[in-house]
Amino acid sequence: MSDSPHLVVGLGNPGPTYAPTRHNVGFWAVDYLAGRIPASFSFARGRSAEVATGLLGGMKVILVKPTTYMNESGVAVSSVARFYKVPSGNIVVIHDELDLEPGRRRLKIGGGDNGHNGLKSIRAHLGTGDFLRVRVGIGRPPGRLPASDYVLAKLKPADLGAMRVDAAVAGDAVEKLIAEGLVAAQNAFNN
């Protein structure tokens, strides 16, 4: 990793309608990190994002919540990355993952988008998939429920509480990733 700051992006959809949904686990994780720094989010005019800056793991970080909908996340990520001159190797994206059960997480670099529209948009706008990812398990939808309905369904209070804990653990994983590198974070947090 270079001396550039780290761009930590939480994926989600803006607005109160989407706040209590599985698709917003990335937003919860960066909110948790902002509380740890502490830092406040402000709208980055012309960047399609809310941004907070500070130190995490002894390194400068820029926390990002795109203000676009999920399928346009790349607009905000590429704009903020260009503005702060952050290379793709220093971008960390926290997102929900259907292929992992709740309570599970995986850290990795690169890979495909696996049908995730936020990742697809980021890959398209950055021109690469070589960024770090913290995949937070949400499990597969029950029965024949479409994935889009599942990820956007309002969570019951108990499930919402559990997912917020998972988001906080993902935030801890990001801090270890930035401070000690990918392998150390994988060893501590992949499950």
Side-chain angles (χ1 to χ4, degrees):
M1 299 204 185
S2 70
D3 291 335
S4 297
H6 287 79
L7 195 68
V8 180
V9 181
L11 293 187
N13 282 307
T17 302
Y18 299 103
T21 68
R22 290 172 183 87
H23 228 15
N24 274 34
V25 71
F27 276 11
W28 306 335
V30 293
D31 284 341
Y32 169 79
L33 288 171
R36 296 270 308 267
I37 288 176
S40 297
F41 282 95
S42 59
F43 183 70
R45 207 166 84 191
R47 308 262 174 262
S48 302
E50 289 183 46
V51 175
T53 61
L55 293 177
L56 188 66
M59 306 292 284
K60 182 176 180 189
V61 296
I62 300 124
L63 304 176
V64 178
K65 293 192 296 187
T67 55
T68 60
Y69 287 102
M70 182 69 76
N71 61 351
E72 290 295 328
S73 297
V75 172
V77 175
S78 62
S79 175
V80 176
R82 273 193 313 276
F83 182 79
Y84 287 101
K85 297 177 177 52
V86 178
S88 61
N90 278 24
I91 297 173
V92 181
V93 178
I94 308 166
H95 65 90
D96 58 305
E97 178 60 58
L98 290 166
D99 287 337
L100 294 173
E101 289 301 314
R104 313 250 329 168
R105 77 208 125 275
R106 292 276 190 282
L107 286 77
K108 69 179 211 169
I109 188 164
D113 55 57
N114 201 24
H116 194 291
N117 288 331
L119 294 176
K120 191 179 299 183
S121 175
I122 293 168
R123 286 171 57 88
H125 282 86
L126 290 179
T128 182
D130 293 335
F131 49 87
L132 296 153
R133 300 156 191 221
V134 178
R135 302 162 60 211
V136 181
I138 62 168
R140 285 260 166 214
R144 294 176 181 236
L145 183 67
S148 58
D149 291 348
Y150 177 71
V151 299
L152 296 175
K154 261 189 165 174
L155 288 163
K156 295 176 184 163
D159 294 334
L160 180 59
M163 286 299 306
R164 286 192 180 274
V165 169
D166 291 347
V169 174
D172 292 339
V174 168
E175 185 168 7
K176 183 138 186 115
L177 170 65
I178 289 170
E180 299 179 32
L182 179 60
V183 173
Q186 287 173 321
N187 288 339
F189 289 94
N190 280 4
N191 66 352

